[in-house]
Amino acid sequence: MDMNLDAIRERLDRIDDQMTDLFAQRMRLVTDVAAYKKEHGLPILDTGRERKILNRVSLRAGEDMEHYAKLLYQTLFSVSRAYQAQQLRSASPLTAELEAAAKNIQEKMPQRVMVACQGTEGAYSQKICDQMFEFADILYMNTFNDVFNAVERGMCPFGVLPIENSTAGSVTQVYDLMEKHHFHIVRAGRQRVDHRLLALPGTKLSDIREVVSHEQALRQCASFLAAHPGIKATPMENTAVAAALVAQEGRRDLAAIASQECEALYGLETVEREVADNDNNFTRFICIAKDLTVYRGADKISLMLSTAHKPGALYRLMSHIAVMGVNLTKLESRPIPGKDFEFRFFFDIEASIESPAVRELMEQLKNEADQFVFLGNYEEMR
């Protein structure tokens, strides 16, 4: 018998009401399960029990619905585990740390401070540093690892590092170093990257046989370099360091890909403007500090996580974020050294630890993950 859309929706509403009532009943029983597990010292996760239920409900749903039933119940299990953990949990060190930071929100970052940056004067990190701090005393470091060390050892209260580029992607060196150091992100910002081909005054493009720059800058200018196969591309520590080298070497066959500021700083001349593949080229930078500090306006959280190397592990982590209705803005994966095809994940989400629900979400993720590191809650400058 044909039914109109309103009648179909009315039936769906009645079924949804029944499902909601049954869901509430199920979650109340979960409380009893949590109490039993606590009394008998049992773990929250029971993979054997979950597998039996998934097999039973998928069979009951029928061949055409078995995969959807499995997905539904996997989500339900994730919610149930989180609810059980909440019932059993006493205040953890993570929750205590986040609550303390939330109660001690700082109004603004200091403006007269020493900041560690990789490179030298004229580097893009120097430009974004001057945007973040009005009176920064910049200590230039040779490597990204040196920047992390300067902050971790207390040499500088802050450090600035590039994290990703809109053309070339993530700065993998920085991501790989994150696992080795203790730090927190306190601010982020984006710097427009205006790459130019710089050389000694009077140099022509036809004279150039070698171009030096940071490896990220070389990747961002891949089309230009491909169009000039006779020019050798040599990576260096930094774009500004490359420009300084061209000035020091005095070679007319040598050029650097660097910023307009480097042209004046090192007495060079622009041979080609806008050599980047993309005119709308931006690099995102993070500002790090040793201790967890949250400043007013912080609305982004960064996390580092690893999961068990088995099907559904990452999905279960992400389901917690989805259930909370939190926007996931970045998911980056990096291989774990020494482990075949196992990865560490970096999450960026739009949230603030001022919310108790967000602090609870962090606790859920920590309990679900094999490794969990809270990297910071911060504002991103626009």
Side-chain angles (χ1 to χ4, degrees), residues 161-165 169-172 174-175 178 283-286 330:
L161 293 155
I163 195 73
E164 63 181 321
N165 177 263
S170 298
V171 184
T172 55
V174 174
Y175 275 108
M178 284 182 172
T283 295
R284 181 177 176 234
F285 290 82
I286 55 171
K330 183 177 176 64

Side-chain angles (χ1 to χ4, degrees), residues 39-294:
E39 182 180 350
H40 293 83
L42 298 175
I44 291 174
L45 177 61
D46 186 342
T47 55
R49 166 72 174 164
E50 290 189 2
R51 187 182 303 109
K52 289 179 181 178
I53 296 175
L54 289 175
N55 290 336
R56 175 169 57 83
V57 298
S58 60
L59 181 63
R60 184 181 180 87
E63 188 175 351
D64 60 333
M65 292 290 174
E66 60 182 7
H67 296 296
Y68 300 105
K70 182 179 181 180
L71 179 61
L72 172 64
Y73 271 79
Q74 284 176 329
T75 303
L76 182 59
F77 292 156
S78 180
V79 172
S80 296
R81 287 194 301 272
Y83 190 58
Q84 287 185 60
Q86 184 179 16
Q87 302 301 309
L88 297 175
R89 185 162 44 248
S90 56
S92 71
L94 173 65
T95 297
E97 183 182 29
L98 297 183
E99 286 180 349
K103 290 177 182 177
N104 192 33
I105 300 290
Q106 302 296 300
E107 288 302 320
K108 62 179 182 178
M109 293 181 68
Q111 292 301 297
R112 293 185 181 272
V113 69
M114 181 171 285
V115 185
C117 291
Q118 189 268 341
T120 188
E121 198 72 19
Y124 289 105
S125 57
Q126 173 248 308
K127 294 175 67 176
I128 193 70
C129 182
D130 286 340
Q131 291 181 33
M132 291 181 175
F133 302 94
E134 189 173 1
F135 303 104
D137 184 7
I138 301 177
L139 182 62
Y140 290 107
M141 317 300 292
N142 290 328
T143 67
F144 295 143
N145 191 56
D146 291 339
V147 175
F148 279 109
N149 282 330
V151 172
E152 191 171 15
R153 296 171 183 174
M155 186 185 303
C156 296
F158 297 101
V160 170
L161 293 155
I163 195 73
E164 63 181 321
N165 177 263
S166 57
T167 300
S170 298
V171 184
T172 55
Q173 289 174 285
V174 174
Y175 275 108
D176 290 343
L177 286 166
M178 284 182 172
E179 193 272 335
K180 301 176 181 178
H181 294 278
H182 175 78
F183 70 98
H184 291 89
I185 303 172
V186 294
R187 178 162 287 185
R190 298 181 183 184
Q191 173 66 52
R192 188 178 188 281
V193 176
D194 176 23
H195 287 316
R196 298 182 174 212
L197 187 66
L198 304 179
L200 295 176
T203 301
K204 298 178 181 178
L205 181 59
S206 58
D207 299 329
I208 298 170
R209 294 293 177 267
E210 183 180 7
V211 170
V212 290
S213 194
H214 189 271
E215 61 179 357
Q216 272 272 330
L218 295 174
R219 286 204 295 270
Q220 293 161 27
C221 302
S223 296
F224 172 81
L225 294 171
H228 299 86
I231 297 178
K232 174 187 175 184
T234 302
M236 294 197 67
E237 299 92 339
N238 190 272
T239 55
V241 170
L245 177 70
V246 172
Q248 293 164 8
E249 288 289 306
R251 291 167 44 193
R252 293 197 174 274
D253 65 339
L254 183 65
I257 292 176
S259 66
Q260 182 180 5
E261 285 76 8
C262 288
E263 179 179 4
L265 275 172
Y266 300 108
L268 302 177
E269 190 174 88
T270 296
V271 179
E272 290 281 331
R273 299 174 184 271
E274 298 179 353
V275 292
D277 295 351
N278 188 345
D279 291 340
N280 192 33
N281 190 19
F282 286 83
T283 295
R284 181 177 176 234
F285 290 82
I286 55 171
C287 178
I288 64 170
K290 183 176 181 179
D291 298 322
L292 174 60
T293 306
V294 180

Side-chain angles (χ1 to χ4, degrees), residues 306-314 339-343 345 370:
S306 63
T307 68
H309 187 49
K310 59 184 181 181
L314 180 60
K339 295 187 177 182
D340 292 338
F341 301 104
E342 294 190 35
F343 296 87
F345 299 96
D370 282 2

